[in-house]
Amino acid sequence: MLLPDRNAIDRLIRNYRAQERHVLARPCDLSARRRFEDTAYTLCVLMGERTALAAIQAAERYLAKPGPESRPASAPVVTAVAPGAVRRGRSG
């Protein structure tokens, strides 16, 4: 499963929170609302959630987990699989 870039998620969360404050302060500003909704939609897509609230919560949980950069140096890292190593099933 592909995981989103942690820096991008962090940046999106910060933008989301700033835009949320702006929209709450100026609810009639349609361009601000549109930017806020676009950011919320992007978070939903990246986090695989249907609502902005679920997406922001999932994003915050994702950032709270230790990332691959915090893995100990002795931990094995698999980067590729040899072409003949994957066994393919037959269809039909």
Side-chain angles (χ1 to χ4, degrees), residues 9-80:
I9 295 298
D10 181 52
R11 195 170 42 253
L12 276 169
I13 289 174
R14 285 186 277 119
N15 285 339
Y16 178 90
R17 293 295 186 202
Q19 291 168 1
E20 181 180 44
R21 287 188 299 274
H22 184 81
V23 167
L24 289 172
R26 295 174 191 87
C28 294
D29 186 346
L30 296 180
S31 65
R33 179 173 292 276
R34 200 170 299 119
R35 283 191 306 274
F36 176 61
E37 289 171 354
D38 287 346
T39 302
Y41 175 78
T42 302
L43 272 169
C44 287
V45 170
L46 289 176
M47 300 313 298
E49 298 292 341
R50 290 181 179 245
T51 67
L53 179 60
I56 197 78
Q57 290 170 344
E60 288 170 341
R61 281 192 309 271
Y62 176 65
L63 291 181
K65 293 179 187 175
E69 58 276 354
S70 64
R71 180 180 25 240
S74 62
V77 177
V78 177
T79 56

